[in-house]
Amino acid sequence: MNQKRDDNPLATPAQFIKGVGPKRAEALKERYGIETVRDLLYHFPHRYEHFETITAIKDAQPGQELVFNGKVVDLAAQPMRNGKQKLEMVIEDETGDLSLLWFNPPLPLDERFDLNRNILAVGKVERYKGSLQITHPRLFLCEPDDSALLPPLRPDWKRRPLHHSRIVPVHRLTAILSASAMRRLIYQ
């Protein structure tokens, strides 16, 4: 079906946004009532996550949800007695190190993260046997040019990473569109 596009860019049908297409446009319409660029811009997140403040590992306090920027220094997968797997990653910054743990990780994380790779880790800090750790943290890979964007943040907001190092909007998920995909669409 050939739809005529209005001269007003806000009236552009959602299917013409880069990365949407007819299938996703139909899902956006059914789930959220989003039919145009205007609708997408007025689709507000249900919450925000504050990833703009990066904490030094030495300043971590148990019980707090924090963001850390560190280099992967150790990564080891261990089988557990129940047949599942435990994955431990250790990151360090200039002030200390922090263990990141996953029990039966859903993805092969050990294949995605290389030693000496800079990452951001987000999660609730716990103390276990005298050491600090985060269980099932969210991770973000830092590209080489992202490192320059971590504290202090550059004022040039267009160069800042979209999914971290800022206040990040969180939209409800659909089977066809993840929260990060929704963020990318709105950012365009």
Side-chain angles (χ1 to χ4, degrees):
M1 180 165 115
N2 193 5
Q3 281 185 304
K4 185 174 190 242
R5 291 171 64 173
D6 194 328
D7 287 338
N8 180 357
L10 294 177
T12 302
Q15 79 176 45
F16 295 112
I17 299 170
K18 181 181 175 184
V20 176
K23 187 176 178 182
R24 276 193 173 163
E26 189 60 36
L28 287 171
K29 181 179 177 182
E30 286 177 14
R31 172 80 165 134
Y32 302 114
I34 295 172
E35 296 184 59
T36 65
V37 170
R38 174 182 280 111
D39 296 336
L40 187 62
L41 290 175
Y42 282 100
H43 176 71
F44 298 109
H46 74 280
R47 66 184 167 94
Y48 292 90
E49 293 181 329
H50 296 266
F51 292 164
E52 74 279 359
T53 303
I54 295 169
T55 303
I57 292 173
K58 75 172 178 64
D59 296 332
Q61 295 295 319
Q64 296 179 329
E65 177 136 343
L66 299 170
V67 180
F68 300 95
N69 177 21
K71 180 173 64 170
V72 177
V73 293
D74 192 22
L75 187 59
Q78 303 168 352
M80 295 175 17
R81 280 183 265 162
N82 61 6
K84 296 184 179 184
Q85 184 184 45
K86 172 184 164 187
L87 179 68
E88 181 175 10
M89 175 187 293
V90 178
I91 63 169
E92 71 176 11
D93 65 10
E94 305 81 35
T95 68
D97 58 41
L98 177 68
S99 290
L100 309 176
L101 296 172
W102 292 266
F103 296 97
N104 204 28
L107 301 170
L109 292 173
D110 53 339
E111 295 173 10
R112 293 184 59 212
F113 297 96
D114 300 322
L115 291 178
N116 297 316
R117 179 76 190 252
N118 264 359
I119 63 166
L120 285 182
V122 180
K124 187 174 181 179
V125 178
E126 304 163 330
R127 186 171 300 282
Y128 180 73
K129 293 186 179 178
S131 297
L132 295 177
Q133 68 180 30
I134 300 176
T135 304
H136 297 277
R138 286 168 285 163
L139 299 182
F140 300 94
L141 292 174
C142 293
E143 297 305 322
D145 62 340
D146 285 353
S147 299
L149 302 174
L150 301 173
L153 297 175
R154 290 186 179 180
D156 181 8
W157 66 273
K158 288 185 178 183
R159 290 223 42 242
R160 290 173 58 191
L162 185 56
H163 305 295
H164 59 78
S165 303
R166 60 174 55 214
I167 296 175
V168 177
V170 179
H171 296 271
R172 297 196 188 277
L173 306 177
T174 67
I176 200 165
L177 202 62
S178 68
S180 60
M182 179 67 89
R183 231 181 341 266
R184 275 193 298 278
L185 290 178
I186 293 171
Y187 181 76
Q188 292 184 64

PDB file of all heavy atoms in Angstrom, residues 45-54 67 120 138 140 153 157 160-171 183 187:
ATOM      1  N   PRO A  45       8.779   6.976  28.738  1.00  0.00           N
ATOM      2  CA  PRO A  45       9.206   5.752  29.434  1.00  0.00           C
ATOM      3  C   PRO A  45       8.441   5.568  30.738  1.00  0.00           C
ATOM      4  O   PRO A  45       7.928   6.527  31.307  1.00  0.00           O
ATOM      5  CB  PRO A  45      10.694   5.995  29.696  1.00  0.00           C
ATOM      6  CG  PRO A  45      10.905   7.445  29.549  1.00  0.00           C
ATOM      7  CD  PRO A  45       9.814   7.997  28.694  1.00  0.00           C
ATOM      8  N   HIS A  46       8.400   4.317  31.210  1.00  0.00           N
ATOM      9  CA  HIS A  46       7.724   4.079  32.489  1.00  0.00           C
ATOM     10  C   HIS A  46       8.645   4.309  33.681  1.00  0.00           C
ATOM     11  O   HIS A  46       8.190   4.406  34.811  1.00  0.00           O
ATOM     12  CB  HIS A  46       7.055   2.694  32.526  1.00  0.00           C
ATOM     13  CG  HIS A  46       7.973   1.537  32.678  1.00  0.00           C
ATOM     14  ND1 HIS A  46       8.678   1.014  31.643  1.00  0.00           N
ATOM     15  CD2 HIS A  46       8.283   0.788  33.758  1.00  0.00           C
ATOM     16  CE1 HIS A  46       9.395  -0.017  32.073  1.00  0.00           C
ATOM     17  NE2 HIS A  46       9.183  -0.170  33.340  1.00  0.00           N
ATOM     18  N   ARG A  47       9.953   4.420  33.421  1.00  0.00           N
ATOM     19  CA  ARG A  47      10.893   4.788  34.485  1.00  0.00           C
ATOM     20  C   ARG A  47      12.224   5.185  33.846  1.00  0.00           C
ATOM     21  O   ARG A  47      12.415   5.044  32.638  1.00  0.00           O
ATOM     22  CB  ARG A  47      11.101   3.659  35.484  1.00  0.00           C
ATOM     23  CG  ARG A  47      11.785   2.435  34.930  1.00  0.00           C
ATOM     24  CD  ARG A  47      11.858   1.323  35.982  1.00  0.00           C
ATOM     25  NE  ARG A  47      12.217   0.080  35.373  1.00  0.00           N
ATOM     26  CZ  ARG A  47      13.465  -0.391  35.281  1.00  0.00           C
ATOM     27  NH1 ARG A  47      14.454   0.298  35.788  1.00  0.00           N
ATOM     28  NH2 ARG A  47      13.704  -1.546  34.714  1.00  0.00           N
ATOM     29  N   TYR A  48      13.120   5.687  34.677  1.00  0.00           N
ATOM     30  CA  TYR A  48      14.460   6.075  34.229  1.00  0.00           C
ATOM     31  C   TYR A  48      15.490   5.391  35.122  1.00  0.00           C
ATOM     32  O   TYR A  48      15.256   5.189  36.306  1.00  0.00           O
ATOM     33  CB  TYR A  48      14.652   7.596  34.338  1.00  0.00           C
ATOM     34  CG  TYR A  48      13.804   8.379  33.378  1.00  0.00           C
ATOM     35  CD1 TYR A  48      12.535   8.808  33.744  1.00  0.00           C
ATOM     36  CD2 TYR A  48      14.260   8.692  32.110  1.00  0.00           C
ATOM     37  CE1 TYR A  48      11.739   9.523  32.861  1.00  0.00           C
ATOM     38  CE2 TYR A  48      13.486   9.405  31.227  1.00  0.00           C
ATOM     39  CZ  TYR A  48      12.226   9.818  31.607  1.00  0.00           C
ATOM     40  OH  TYR A  48      11.446  10.514  30.739  1.00  0.00           O
ATOM     41  N   GLU A  49      16.630   5.060  34.527  1.00  0.00           N
ATOM     42  CA  GLU A  49      17.752   4.540  35.297  1.00  0.00           C
ATOM     43  C   GLU A  49      18.872   5.566  35.231  1.00  0.00           C
ATOM     44  O   GLU A  49      19.164   6.103  34.162  1.00  0.00           O
ATOM     45  CB  GLU A  49      18.212   3.191  34.740  1.00  0.00           C
ATOM     46  CG  GLU A  49      17.169   2.118  34.947  1.00  0.00           C
ATOM     47  CD  GLU A  49      17.589   0.754  34.434  1.00  0.00           C
ATOM     48  OE1 GLU A  49      18.348   0.683  33.456  1.00  0.00           O
ATOM     49  OE2 GLU A  49      17.128  -0.235  35.016  1.00  0.00           O
ATOM     50  N   HIS A  50      19.468   5.834  36.376  1.00  0.00           N
ATOM     51  CA  HIS A  50      20.498   6.864  36.469  1.00  0.00           C
ATOM     52  C   HIS A  50      21.876   6.226  36.342  1.00  0.00           C
ATOM     53  O   HIS A  50      22.417   5.716  37.317  1.00  0.00           O
ATOM     54  CB  HIS A  50      20.355   7.627  37.786  1.00  0.00           C
ATOM     55  CG  HIS A  50      19.068   8.378  37.862  1.00  0.00           C
ATOM     56  ND1 HIS A  50      18.967   9.689  37.490  1.00  0.00           N
ATOM     57  CD2 HIS A  50      17.823   7.988  38.208  1.00  0.00           C
ATOM     58  CE1 HIS A  50      17.715  10.086  37.622  1.00  0.00           C
ATOM     59  NE2 HIS A  50      17.003   9.067  38.060  1.00  0.00           N
ATOM     60  N   PHE A  51      22.416   6.269  35.136  1.00  0.00           N
ATOM     61  CA  PHE A  51      23.718   5.686  34.858  1.00  0.00           C
ATOM     62  C   PHE A  51      24.780   6.754  34.639  1.00  0.00           C
ATOM     63  O   PHE A  51      25.832   6.479  34.097  1.00  0.00           O
ATOM     64  CB  PHE A  51      23.661   4.818  33.596  1.00  0.00           C
ATOM     65  CG  PHE A  51      22.840   3.563  33.724  1.00  0.00           C
ATOM     66  CD1 PHE A  51      22.445   2.883  32.597  1.00  0.00           C
ATOM     67  CD2 PHE A  51      22.482   3.052  34.950  1.00  0.00           C
ATOM     68  CE1 PHE A  51      21.699   1.713  32.685  1.00  0.00           C
ATOM     69  CE2 PHE A  51      21.738   1.890  35.058  1.00  0.00           C
ATOM     70  CZ  PHE A  51      21.344   1.222  33.919  1.00  0.00           C
ATOM     71  N   GLU A  52      24.492   7.998  35.027  1.00  0.00           N
ATOM     72  CA  GLU A  52      25.434   9.068  34.725  1.00  0.00           C
ATOM     73  C   GLU A  52      26.555   9.188  35.745  1.00  0.00           C
ATOM     74  O   GLU A  52      27.583   9.767  35.462  1.00  0.00           O
ATOM     75  CB  GLU A  52      24.699  10.402  34.553  1.00  0.00           C
ATOM     76  CG  GLU A  52      24.188  11.028  35.835  1.00  0.00           C
ATOM     77  CD  GLU A  52      22.866  10.451  36.328  1.00  0.00           C
ATOM     78  OE1 GLU A  52      22.303   9.564  35.685  1.00  0.00           O
ATOM     79  OE2 GLU A  52      22.405  10.897  37.383  1.00  0.00           O
ATOM     80  N   THR A  53      26.387   8.624  36.933  1.00  0.00           N
ATOM     81  CA  THR A  53      27.414   8.737  37.963  1.00  0.00           C
ATOM     82  C   THR A  53      28.139   7.404  38.113  1.00  0.00           C
ATOM     83  O   THR A  53      27.531   6.398  38.475  1.00  0.00           O
ATOM     84  CB  THR A  53      26.785   9.128  39.320  1.00  0.00           C
ATOM     85  OG1 THR A  53      26.064  10.345  39.139  1.00  0.00           O
ATOM     86  CG2 THR A  53      27.851   9.306  40.378  1.00  0.00           C
ATOM     87  N   ILE A  54      29.402   7.422  37.826  1.00  0.00           N
ATOM     88  CA  ILE A  54      30.212   6.212  37.933  1.00  0.00           C
ATOM     89  C   ILE A  54      30.957   6.249  39.259  1.00  0.00           C
ATOM     90  O   ILE A  54      31.564   7.256  39.625  1.00  0.00           O
ATOM     91  CB  ILE A  54      31.164   6.099  36.738  1.00  0.00           C
ATOM     92  CG1 ILE A  54      30.320   5.919  35.470  1.00  0.00           C
ATOM     93  CG2 ILE A  54      32.146   4.952  36.927  1.00  0.00           C
ATOM     94  CD1 ILE A  54      31.060   6.051  34.203  1.00  0.00           C
ATOM     95  N   VAL A  67      26.991   2.109  39.493  1.00  0.00           N
ATOM     96  CA  VAL A  67      27.575   1.919  38.165  1.00  0.00           C
ATOM     97  C   VAL A  67      29.092   1.975  38.325  1.00  0.00           C
ATOM     98  O   VAL A  67      29.624   2.897  38.946  1.00  0.00           O
ATOM     99  CB  VAL A  67      27.130   3.035  37.191  1.00  0.00           C
ATOM    100  CG1 VAL A  67      27.736   2.826  35.814  1.00  0.00           C
ATOM    101  CG2 VAL A  67      25.613   3.105  37.113  1.00  0.00           C
ATOM    102  N   LEU A 120      31.090  -1.266  31.569  1.00  0.00           N
ATOM    103  CA  LEU A 120      30.335  -0.677  32.662  1.00  0.00           C
ATOM    104  C   LEU A 120      29.521  -1.798  33.269  1.00  0.00           C
ATOM    105  O   LEU A 120      28.902  -2.585  32.544  1.00  0.00           O
ATOM    106  CB  LEU A 120      29.380   0.403  32.168  1.00  0.00           C
ATOM    107  CG  LEU A 120      29.977   1.737  31.782  1.00  0.00           C
ATOM    108  CD1 LEU A 120      28.882   2.705  31.366  1.00  0.00           C
ATOM    109  CD2 LEU A 120      30.785   2.346  32.903  1.00  0.00           C
ATOM    110  N   ARG A 138      24.040  -5.915  35.117  1.00  0.00           N
ATOM    111  CA  ARG A 138      23.866  -5.546  33.705  1.00  0.00           C
ATOM    112  C   ARG A 138      25.198  -5.005  33.233  1.00  0.00           C
ATOM    113  O   ARG A 138      25.855  -4.240  33.949  1.00  0.00           O
ATOM    114  CB  ARG A 138      22.774  -4.490  33.560  1.00  0.00           C
ATOM    115  CG  ARG A 138      21.394  -5.105  33.750  1.00  0.00           C
ATOM    116  CD  ARG A 138      20.350  -4.064  33.887  1.00  0.00           C
ATOM    117  NE  ARG A 138      20.502  -3.523  35.239  1.00  0.00           N
ATOM    118  CZ  ARG A 138      19.998  -2.390  35.641  1.00  0.00           C
ATOM    119  NH1 ARG A 138      19.311  -1.652  34.826  1.00  0.00           N
ATOM    120  NH2 ARG A 138      20.166  -1.973  36.875  1.00  0.00           N
ATOM    121  N   PHE A 140      27.632  -3.266  30.023  1.00  0.00           N
ATOM    122  CA  PHE A 140      27.675  -2.507  28.787  1.00  0.00           C
ATOM    123  C   PHE A 140      29.110  -2.488  28.312  1.00  0.00           C
ATOM    124  O   PHE A 140      30.013  -2.133  29.077  1.00  0.00           O
ATOM    125  CB  PHE A 140      27.193  -1.069  29.004  1.00  0.00           C
ATOM    126  CG  PHE A 140      25.786  -0.989  29.518  1.00  0.00           C
ATOM    127  CD1 PHE A 140      25.527  -0.895  30.872  1.00  0.00           C
ATOM    128  CD2 PHE A 140      24.716  -1.012  28.633  1.00  0.00           C
ATOM    129  CE1 PHE A 140      24.237  -0.819  31.352  1.00  0.00           C
ATOM    130  CE2 PHE A 140      23.415  -0.931  29.101  1.00  0.00           C
ATOM    131  CZ  PHE A 140      23.173  -0.840  30.461  1.00  0.00           C
ATOM    132  N   LEU A 153      31.819  13.669  32.019  1.00  0.00           N
ATOM    133  CA  LEU A 153      31.106  13.499  30.760  1.00  0.00           C
ATOM    134  C   LEU A 153      31.289  14.724  29.873  1.00  0.00           C
ATOM    135  O   LEU A 153      31.298  15.844  30.343  1.00  0.00           O
ATOM    136  CB  LEU A 153      29.619  13.271  31.019  1.00  0.00           C
ATOM    137  CG  LEU A 153      29.293  12.004  31.792  1.00  0.00           C
ATOM    138  CD1 LEU A 153      27.804  11.956  32.087  1.00  0.00           C
ATOM    139  CD2 LEU A 153      29.701  10.781  31.011  1.00  0.00           C
ATOM    140  N   TRP A 157      26.279  16.044  24.014  1.00  0.00           N
ATOM    141  CA  TRP A 157      25.395  14.923  24.320  1.00  0.00           C
ATOM    142  C   TRP A 157      25.211  13.976  23.150  1.00  0.00           C
ATOM    143  O   TRP A 157      24.943  12.813  23.353  1.00  0.00           O
ATOM    144  CB  TRP A 157      24.054  15.418  24.827  1.00  0.00           C
ATOM    145  CG  TRP A 157      23.263  16.173  23.806  1.00  0.00           C
ATOM    146  CD1 TRP A 157      23.338  17.504  23.541  1.00  0.00           C
ATOM    147  CD2 TRP A 157      22.314  15.641  22.901  1.00  0.00           C
ATOM    148  NE1 TRP A 157      22.500  17.842  22.527  1.00  0.00           N
ATOM    149  CE2 TRP A 157      21.841  16.710  22.119  1.00  0.00           C
ATOM    150  CE3 TRP A 157      21.809  14.370  22.658  1.00  0.00           C
ATOM    151  CZ2 TRP A 157      20.900  16.545  21.120  1.00  0.00           C
ATOM    152  CZ3 TRP A 157      20.859  14.214  21.665  1.00  0.00           C
ATOM    153  CH2 TRP A 157      20.418  15.289  20.911  1.00  0.00           C
ATOM    154  N   ARG A 160      27.590  11.045  23.364  1.00  0.00           N
ATOM    155  CA  ARG A 160      27.538  10.169  24.533  1.00  0.00           C
ATOM    156  C   ARG A 160      26.874   8.853  24.176  1.00  0.00           C
ATOM    157  O   ARG A 160      25.971   8.807  23.359  1.00  0.00           O
ATOM    158  CB  ARG A 160      26.794  10.858  25.657  1.00  0.00           C
ATOM    159  CG  ARG A 160      27.620  12.005  26.219  1.00  0.00           C
ATOM    160  CD  ARG A 160      26.902  12.825  27.215  1.00  0.00           C
ATOM    161  NE  ARG A 160      26.444  12.031  28.331  1.00  0.00           N
ATOM    162  CZ  ARG A 160      25.606  12.502  29.229  1.00  0.00           C
ATOM    163  NH1 ARG A 160      25.157  13.722  29.145  1.00  0.00           N
ATOM    164  NH2 ARG A 160      25.205  11.746  30.228  1.00  0.00           N
ATOM    165  N   PRO A 161      27.312   7.771  24.768  1.00  0.00           N
ATOM    166  CA  PRO A 161      26.686   6.476  24.502  1.00  0.00           C
ATOM    167  C   PRO A 161      25.195   6.525  24.822  1.00  0.00           C
ATOM    168  O   PRO A 161      24.774   7.192  25.767  1.00  0.00           O
ATOM    169  CB  PRO A 161      27.416   5.528  25.450  1.00  0.00           C
ATOM    170  CG  PRO A 161      28.700   6.211  25.766  1.00  0.00           C
ATOM    171  CD  PRO A 161      28.411   7.677  25.717  1.00  0.00           C
ATOM    172  N   LEU A 162      24.403   5.822  24.030  1.00  0.00           N
ATOM    173  CA  LEU A 162      22.947   5.877  24.162  1.00  0.00           C
ATOM    174  C   LEU A 162      22.421   5.071  25.342  1.00  0.00           C
ATOM    175  O   LEU A 162      21.432   5.438  25.954  1.00  0.00           O
ATOM    176  CB  LEU A 162      22.320   5.364  22.861  1.00  0.00           C
ATOM    177  CG  LEU A 162      20.817   5.447  22.724  1.00  0.00           C
ATOM    178  CD1 LEU A 162      20.330   6.880  22.927  1.00  0.00           C
ATOM    179  CD2 LEU A 162      20.381   4.925  21.370  1.00  0.00           C
ATOM    180  N   HIS A 163      23.070   3.960  25.693  1.00  0.00           N
ATOM    181  CA  HIS A 163      22.519   3.043  26.685  1.00  0.00           C
ATOM    182  C   HIS A 163      23.187   3.131  28.055  1.00  0.00           C
ATOM    183  O   HIS A 163      22.854   2.377  28.954  1.00  0.00           O
ATOM    184  CB  HIS A 163      22.579   1.604  26.170  1.00  0.00           C
ATOM    185  CG  HIS A 163      21.913   1.453  24.843  1.00  0.00           C
ATOM    186  ND1 HIS A 163      20.568   1.654  24.665  1.00  0.00           N
ATOM    187  CD2 HIS A 163      22.419   1.164  23.627  1.00  0.00           C
ATOM    188  CE1 HIS A 163      20.259   1.466  23.390  1.00  0.00           C
ATOM    189  NE2 HIS A 163      21.363   1.175  22.751  1.00  0.00           N
ATOM    190  N   HIS A 164      24.155   4.017  28.216  1.00  0.00           N
ATOM    191  CA  HIS A 164      24.809   4.184  29.515  1.00  0.00           C
ATOM    192  C   HIS A 164      25.446   5.563  29.589  1.00  0.00           C
ATOM    193  O   HIS A 164      25.406   6.319  28.633  1.00  0.00           O
ATOM    194  CB  HIS A 164      25.855   3.081  29.756  1.00  0.00           C
ATOM    195  CG  HIS A 164      26.948   3.017  28.754  1.00  0.00           C
ATOM    196  ND1 HIS A 164      28.013   3.886  28.766  1.00  0.00           N
ATOM    197  CD2 HIS A 164      27.156   2.205  27.696  1.00  0.00           C
ATOM    198  CE1 HIS A 164      28.833   3.595  27.770  1.00  0.00           C
ATOM    199  NE2 HIS A 164      28.339   2.581  27.100  1.00  0.00           N
ATOM    200  N   SER A 165      26.017   5.904  30.736  1.00  0.00           N
ATOM    201  CA  SER A 165      26.704   7.174  30.978  1.00  0.00           C
ATOM    202  C   SER A 165      25.758   8.367  30.873  1.00  0.00           C
ATOM    203  O   SER A 165      26.156   9.447  30.477  1.00  0.00           O
ATOM    204  CB  SER A 165      27.886   7.361  30.023  1.00  0.00           C
ATOM    205  OG  SER A 165      28.773   6.300  30.146  1.00  0.00           O
ATOM    206  N   ARG A 166      24.507   8.163  31.233  1.00  0.00           N
ATOM    207  CA  ARG A 166      23.488   9.205  31.189  1.00  0.00           C
ATOM    208  C   ARG A 166      22.276   8.716  31.962  1.00  0.00           C
ATOM    209  O   ARG A 166      22.264   7.587  32.436  1.00  0.00           O
ATOM    210  CB  ARG A 166      23.091   9.513  29.748  1.00  0.00           C
ATOM    211  CG  ARG A 166      22.524   8.292  29.017  1.00  0.00           C
ATOM    212  CD  ARG A 166      21.970   8.523  27.630  1.00  0.00           C
ATOM    213  NE  ARG A 166      22.928   9.138  26.756  1.00  0.00           N
ATOM    214  CZ  ARG A 166      22.613  10.002  25.800  1.00  0.00           C
ATOM    215  NH1 ARG A 166      21.376  10.303  25.574  1.00  0.00           N
ATOM    216  NH2 ARG A 166      23.530  10.550  25.053  1.00  0.00           N
ATOM    217  N   ILE A 167      21.253   9.534  32.055  1.00  0.00           N
ATOM    218  CA  ILE A 167      19.976   9.070  32.576  1.00  0.00           C
ATOM    219  C   ILE A 167      19.300   8.351  31.415  1.00  0.00           C
ATOM    220  O   ILE A 167      19.087   8.930  30.352  1.00  0.00           O
ATOM    221  CB  ILE A 167      19.121  10.239  33.095  1.00  0.00           C
ATOM    222  CG1 ILE A 167      19.834  10.907  34.281  1.00  0.00           C
ATOM    223  CG2 ILE A 167      17.731   9.749  33.486  1.00  0.00           C
ATOM    224  CD1 ILE A 167      19.137  12.142  34.798  1.00  0.00           C
ATOM    225  N   VAL A 168      19.007   7.082  31.601  1.00  0.00           N
ATOM    226  CA  VAL A 168      18.526   6.231  30.516  1.00  0.00           C
ATOM    227  C   VAL A 168      17.033   5.954  30.676  1.00  0.00           C
ATOM    228  O   VAL A 168      16.612   5.443  31.717  1.00  0.00           O
ATOM    229  CB  VAL A 168      19.311   4.892  30.497  1.00  0.00           C
ATOM    230  CG1 VAL A 168      18.795   3.963  29.432  1.00  0.00           C
ATOM    231  CG2 VAL A 168      20.797   5.164  30.303  1.00  0.00           C
ATOM    232  N   PRO A 169      16.231   6.287  29.647  1.00  0.00           N
ATOM    233  CA  PRO A 169      14.807   5.964  29.718  1.00  0.00           C
ATOM    234  C   PRO A 169      14.581   4.470  29.529  1.00  0.00           C
ATOM    235  O   PRO A 169      15.263   3.828  28.737  1.00  0.00           O
ATOM    236  CB  PRO A 169      14.198   6.760  28.555  1.00  0.00           C
ATOM    237  CG  PRO A 169      15.328   6.943  27.599  1.00  0.00           C
ATOM    238  CD  PRO A 169      16.581   6.978  28.417  1.00  0.00           C
ATOM    239  N   VAL A 170      13.647   3.915  30.277  1.00  0.00           N
ATOM    240  CA  VAL A 170      13.322   2.493  30.157  1.00  0.00           C
ATOM    241  C   VAL A 170      11.864   2.377  29.722  1.00  0.00           C
ATOM    242  O   VAL A 170      10.963   2.828  30.422  1.00  0.00           O
ATOM    243  CB  VAL A 170      13.540   1.746  31.491  1.00  0.00           C
ATOM    244  CG1 VAL A 170      13.169   0.277  31.356  1.00  0.00           C
ATOM    245  CG2 VAL A 170      14.979   1.905  31.944  1.00  0.00           C
ATOM    246  N   HIS A 171      11.671   1.782  28.549  1.00  0.00           N
ATOM    247  CA  HIS A 171      10.334   1.577  27.999  1.00  0.00           C
ATOM    248  C   HIS A 171       9.934   0.121  28.200  1.00  0.00           C
ATOM    249  O   HIS A 171      10.779  -0.766  28.243  1.00  0.00           O
ATOM    250  CB  HIS A 171      10.325   1.906  26.502  1.00  0.00           C
ATOM    251  CG  HIS A 171      10.625   3.340  26.221  1.00  0.00           C
ATOM    252  ND1 HIS A 171       9.660   4.298  26.165  1.00  0.00           N
ATOM    253  CD2 HIS A 171      11.800   3.985  26.017  1.00  0.00           C
ATOM    254  CE1 HIS A 171      10.212   5.468  25.916  1.00  0.00           C
ATOM    255  NE2 HIS A 171      11.513   5.306  25.830  1.00  0.00           N
ATOM    256  N   ARG A 183      14.667   2.775  22.600  1.00  0.00           N
ATOM    257  CA  ARG A 183      15.501   3.941  22.869  1.00  0.00           C
ATOM    258  C   ARG A 183      16.147   4.443  21.588  1.00  0.00           C
ATOM    259  O   ARG A 183      16.193   5.654  21.327  1.00  0.00           O
ATOM    260  CB  ARG A 183      16.589   3.546  23.877  1.00  0.00           C
ATOM    261  CG  ARG A 183      16.689   4.457  25.037  1.00  0.00           C
ATOM    262  CD  ARG A 183      17.768   4.139  26.053  1.00  0.00           C
ATOM    263  NE  ARG A 183      18.358   2.839  26.113  1.00  0.00           N
ATOM    264  CZ  ARG A 183      17.968   1.851  26.917  1.00  0.00           C
ATOM    265  NH1 ARG A 183      16.927   2.008  27.711  1.00  0.00           N
ATOM    266  NH2 ARG A 183      18.588   0.708  26.934  1.00  0.00           N
ATOM    267  N   TYR A 187      15.563   8.064  19.811  1.00  0.00           N
ATOM    268  CA  TYR A 187      16.767   8.906  19.691  1.00  0.00           C
ATOM    269  C   TYR A 187      16.942   9.431  18.270  1.00  0.00           C
ATOM    270  O   TYR A 187      17.392  10.548  18.079  1.00  0.00           O
ATOM    271  CB  TYR A 187      17.990   8.091  20.108  1.00  0.00           C
ATOM    272  CG  TYR A 187      19.275   8.868  20.055  1.00  0.00           C
ATOM    273  CD1 TYR A 187      19.586   9.789  21.043  1.00  0.00           C
ATOM    274  CD2 TYR A 187      20.189   8.675  19.023  1.00  0.00           C
ATOM    275  CE1 TYR A 187      20.769  10.491  21.015  1.00  0.00           C
ATOM    276  CE2 TYR A 187      21.371   9.374  18.985  1.00  0.00           C
ATOM    277  CZ  TYR A 187      21.662  10.289  19.972  1.00  0.00           C
ATOM    278  OH  TYR A 187      22.827  10.992  19.939  1.00  0.00           O
TER     279      TYR A 187
END
